[in-house]
Amino acid sequence: MDKIHSFLMNPVAKHECMVQGDTYRISILTDRLIRLEYSISGQFEDCATQTVLNRNFDIPNFRVWEKKDKLEIITEELQIVYDRKAFSANGLSIRLIKGIYSNCSIWRYGDKGGNLKGTARTLDACDGETGLEDGVLGRTGYAVLDDSASLALTADGWVRPALSGHTDLYFFGYGHNYRECMKDFFRLCGATPLLPRYVLGNWWSRYHAYTQDEYMQLMDRFQDENIPFSVAVLDMDWHHVKLDEKYGNGWTGYTWNEELFPNHEEMLKELHHRGLHVTLNVHPADGVRGHEKAYREMAEALGVEFEKEVPIPFNISDPEFLKAYFRYLHHPLENEGVDFWWIDWQQGTASGIPGLDPLWMLNHYHFRDSEKENRRPLIFSRYAGIGSHRYPIGFSGDTVITWKSLAFQPYFTSTASNIGYGWWSHDIGGHMDGYRDDELAVRWVQFGVFSPIMRLHSSSSRFTGKEPWNFGEWECGIIKKFLRLRHAMIPYLYTMNARAHFEGEALVQPMYYRYSDDNRAYDVRNQYFFGTEMMVHPITSKMDMTTKMGKVTTWLPQGMWYDLFTGLIYQGDKMVCMYRPLETIPVLAKAGAIIPLQREEITKNSTENPKDMVIIICTGENGEFVLYEDDGISMDFKSGRWVETRYQLRWGSQKRFTISPACGLQELIPAYRNYQLKFMGISAEAVLGVRIDGRIVSCETNYDDRRNIQTIELTEVSVNSEICIEIDEEARGASNKIEWRVSDCLNKSQIEYRLKDEIYDMVTGMQSLNECICNLNALEIPKSVKEMIQEIILA
């Protein structure tokens, strides 16, 4: 294969890291990451594999004791004891020296207990939960990755079967230092690629036989209603699907259906002009038949009798087929304007090479092939095992439209980070079957906006389309609001994209990544961190009909937390029953958080680096955020062509918020920017002044008294300037305004008016908090109403 189909690999460990005998080899990659090989033939693997690319780590400190009946190796973190025989539970063990997590923190060969799981190949036809494969994190402090069956990647860009009789394990003994474990996983298995910026906006997708006019009219309506999209997905009906019976079914296709799309090149050009990028669905399993436009050229290249229209079988294990597959089927369509491919493989794991999964092969070669003309490589496909994080983006499959399906997806998404798979794309709203429930549709979109990729999708049923206006007027308005919010978050999301690539930190992470020794972090399965600044707990069950609110039980770690939608301020270190109307879900940020957005009301399909910025500043603690920007699509970032802007909040004896001059290639961003600075949790008088490059300037301000948010507007500020917002040194955090919040909640509640008045008077006239809680508990009212009021007064 061509060189482009190879990764940059460094698969041979340093000789000084190895402890080797005739049939075993132990490589000490770090003081907590150990490679364990056993081979009857004495042959060991020094090539990269489908999973592992790099074993050339720095040499850690370790000691070796060669004893008559065993071998003992001690690093700063681990003690390895091995009897030099075929691996067995009695003969191979590793003890974590410094931490005791369970069973004396000793792993014995074959032990898989305590694994925090990873992900799964697909959610196709899932109605709720499905089983997950193992990840590389464990509550016991260790986990094992078995790479014995992986094919080797050869220097010429091809693959060969795994060595026969060769056991190849990687022991991760990181205790509860989960984030450090994942960083070394990425060092071992390759970094998550930097995604193009446009994929972080909204995707429109539907399995439907659109005509060209129908599709563009839909895009017109989205534009008229100010609903932004950055990716246009065309499912399989872009190509011919109703074929002459001599060709078989139309599941596989590579030729535009000109009856539906009479001028597809013009359509692709217009979509690009509107700021949309295009992906086409392909099911490659049936090969290439005689009706295809590219058939003759490809048949001639492969020596197939084209005069007889002999079908060209799909043969992923043949390098010549693979070269022709790209040259004749995909590259011409890419030249017409297709930006990337949706590879929809559903035909199992067998191929002409023993152990080779066609899905992995398609992912690997499509991804490598897409890195042309200095563009960032990108595919959209299913998960094909450990190492698949190198081939984003993941398509999770055709889920059933039920609350059970939604309730599984937040856990499924965050847990995938335990195997490095950080860019799942779900069928937001569900794909098929199930039932109509407008509340479910809204809650699914809210989760989608706070998930890695926001892609609406549905089946070919006329009733399952996810156009916002297909739902009730109230629900439609909420969906549109959240779709706009997704595009507003792109500056934040793109910085998290860079963090995932450069630092090995997934966008969505389970709570135990930062609070690994608190049991509560493991109990809130659907609660997760969304980047460095936000914590999200989607609502995945129907609302309580008494309060007209959705409910989740959320864990707040120690500290002060802000609800970004409501402005409610919480003190942490507790579990809280959070009640939210359909318009919001709990999205929280800790004091010190800084969240850069772009102005929502002027957001279009474009995902370019914005001129109009909104910065949310959560006061009360020190904080810092470095905004990352580049051209969003090329590989130029590898040569340092990017720009960073530092935001700092100082909350000590001197209180101030500073935006530093942009550092780096400033031509990549607008020369001047407009800022809307939103300070949460301070009084109207707290801001003393605004300085730009040391000069006091006047500016427009606005104070939201209900939510304690001070907004400052700055226009046409050079990105070379320093902005400093001076805050009163005596400023203290603002208090929650509980009267209007309680009134608003009670107004929606389906209870007696007499009880509403009694509760409101009790809360607004309370002399002490304890007395109020006691009186509230004494009332004969639904539990949900009590919890809803207590959330506000106890926050």
Side-chain angles (χ1 to χ4, degrees), residues 94-349:
I94 301 179
R95 180 172 70 90
L96 276 64
I97 295 173
K98 295 182 178 179
I100 298 177
Y101 302 99
S102 72
N103 194 30
C104 299
S105 295
I106 296 177
W107 169 80
R108 300 184 186 279
Y109 176 73
D111 180 11
K112 294 185 178 181
N115 197 284
L116 288 166
K117 311 310 289 184
T119 195
R121 186 179 181 100
T122 182
L123 295 180
D124 275 344
C126 283
D127 183 9
E129 299 198 15
T130 191
L132 302 181
E133 300 171 12
D134 283 350
V136 295
L137 307 179
R139 277 195 86 170
T140 49
Y142 54 76
V144 175
L145 186 162
D146 188 346
D147 199 36
S148 305
S150 284
L151 275 66
L153 308 184
T154 56
D156 62 357
W158 198 239
V159 295
R160 65 160 171 78
L163 298 175
S164 178
H166 176 241
T167 300
D168 193 1
L169 308 178
Y170 292 83
F171 177 87
F172 292 80
Y174 286 76
H176 286 175
N177 195 341
Y178 301 138
R179 293 164 74 185
E180 195 63 31
C181 180
M182 294 312 305
K183 290 178 190 294
D184 280 346
F185 170 84
F186 289 120
R187 288 176 64 195
L188 179 73
C189 300
T192 299
L194 186 66
L195 300 180
R197 189 178 178 99
Y198 65 80
V199 305
L200 300 174
N202 298 313
W203 297 30
W204 175 255
S205 179
R206 186 182 178 191
Y207 178 27
H208 176 71
Y210 286 106
T211 66
Q212 182 169 332
D213 286 344
E214 183 185 8
Y215 199 82
M216 295 312 298
Q217 287 168 10
L218 177 65
M219 296 300 110
D220 288 341
R221 182 162 181 184
F222 285 144
Q223 185 171 297
D224 292 343
E225 300 201 17
N226 193 23
I227 305 174
F229 287 93
S230 57
V231 175
V233 183
L234 288 171
D235 212 321
M236 59 181 288
D237 287 287
W238 68 270
H239 63 72
H240 294 286
V241 296
K242 296 178 181 178
L243 308 179
D244 188 306
E245 62 181 15
K246 70 178 180 179
Y247 297 124
N249 68 58
W251 200 249
T252 298
Y254 301 95
T255 305
W256 282 93
N257 184 337
E258 294 183 353
E259 291 183 9
L260 297 179
F261 300 95
N263 194 346
H264 66 270
E265 289 188 64
E266 186 62 33
M267 182 186 74
L268 295 176
K269 184 184 297 184
E270 177 60 22
L271 289 170
H272 287 153
H273 175 72
R274 297 187 186 204
L276 290 146
H277 291 73
V278 180
T279 181
L280 303 184
N281 174 280
V282 288
H283 298 93
D286 287 339
V288 186
R289 280 79 57 82
H291 71 284
E292 299 285 6
K293 182 178 179 181
Y295 170 77
R296 177 164 180 167
E297 275 191 298
M298 188 168 177
E300 288 179 332
L302 295 175
V304 173
E305 294 182 88
F306 62 86
E307 299 93 341
K308 299 179 180 180
E309 292 192 337
V310 174
I312 303 171
F314 177 80
N315 187 2
I316 198 71
S317 58
D318 178 3
E320 294 307 312
F321 170 83
L322 204 52
K323 290 177 184 178
Y325 171 81
F326 288 115
R327 179 178 179 181
Y328 299 108
L329 300 180
H330 293 86
H331 294 170
L333 295 170
E334 291 167 13
N335 292 337
E336 291 177 352
V338 177
D339 295 291
F340 63 103
W341 294 96
W342 174 7
I343 306 152
D344 205 349
W345 179 264
Q346 303 171 16
Q347 283 73 33
T349 59

Side-chain angles (χ1 to χ4, degrees), residues 446-679:
Q446 290 168 336
F447 163 65
V449 166
F450 289 95
S451 66
I453 301 295
M454 172 58 205
R455 178 179 55 87
L456 297 171
H457 190 56
S458 59
S459 72
S460 57
S461 168
R462 67 173 63 245
F463 301 110
T464 59
K466 299 306 187 298
E467 296 87 346
W469 49 84
N470 279 353
F471 303 97
E473 183 177 354
W474 179 37
E475 292 86 357
C476 172
I478 299 170
I479 290 171
K480 290 196 288 187
K481 175 184 175 182
F482 271 85
L483 292 175
R484 295 179 193 121
L485 174 60
R486 177 68 185 201
H487 273 242
M489 288 197 295
I490 287 176
Y492 176 77
L493 293 170
Y494 194 67
T495 299
M496 296 303 109
N497 175 27
R499 178 173 175 256
H501 173 69
F502 291 113
E503 301 177 29
E505 297 268 9
L507 168 64
V508 174
Q509 294 179 337
M511 294 298 294
Y512 49 75
Y513 270 44
R514 299 187 205 175
Y515 299 95
S516 59
D517 292 325
D518 194 313
N519 289 332
R520 293 171 294 183
Y522 300 86
D523 294 336
V524 285
R525 294 202 331 168
N526 276 7
Q527 183 179 335
Y528 54 85
F529 289 107
F530 192 64
T532 55
E533 310 300 291
M534 287 188 258
M535 184 172 71
V536 180
H537 200 161
I539 293 174
T540 60
S541 59
K542 285 189 74 65
M543 69 172 61
D544 169 68
M545 296 311 294
T546 300
T547 60
K548 292 293 184 178
M549 301 270 194
K551 173 192 171 183
V552 287
T553 302
T554 301
W555 174 52
L556 293 177
Q558 193 168 23
M560 185 166 71
W561 296 86
Y562 293 87
D563 185 299
L564 295 178
F565 287 118
T566 69
L568 191 62
I569 305 168
Y570 298 86
Q571 297 302 318
D573 198 20
K574 61 189 177 187
M575 303 293 293
V576 179
C577 294
M578 294 191 173
Y579 284 80
R580 296 293 182 273
L582 191 58
E583 292 89 344
T584 70
I585 59 173
V587 178
L588 300 121
K590 201 171 185 180
I594 301 169
I595 304 169
L597 311 172
Q598 59 191 24
R599 288 286 287 268
E600 184 177 321
E601 58 268 30
I602 56 176
T603 294
K604 304 296 183 185
N605 291 343
S606 171
T607 57
E608 295 179 356
N609 298 323
K611 178 182 176 68
D612 296 274
M613 302 286 294
V614 176
I615 315 295
I616 297 173
I617 305 107
C618 298
T619 64
E621 295 288 344
N622 291 336
E624 180 174 285
F625 189 94
V626 180
L627 179 71
Y628 174 90
E629 297 170 289
D630 57 25
D631 66 18
I633 200 161
S634 81
M635 300 297 286
D636 288 351
F637 70 92
K638 287 196 168 184
S639 57
R641 294 178 63 84
W642 69 65
V643 59
E644 294 180 328
T645 306
R646 187 177 303 275
Y647 309 123
Q648 287 184 312
L649 176 65
R650 290 292 170 258
W651 203 261
S653 57
Q654 290 188 331
K655 296 181 173 66
R656 63 184 59 196
F657 174 73
T658 305
I659 301 178
S660 299
C663 181
L665 200 63
Q666 292 186 12
E667 66 189 55
L668 294 170
I669 62 176
Y672 294 86
R673 276 181 158 156
N674 303 320
Y675 289 99
Q676 190 179 81
L677 308 178
K678 292 181 172 291
F679 291 86

Side-chain angles (χ1 to χ4, degrees), residues 684-700:
E685 301 79 23
V687 174
L688 298 180
V690 179
R691 293 179 183 269
I692 297 179
D693 293 330
R695 294 179 293 104
I696 297 176
V697 299
S698 59
C699 58
E700 183 179 338

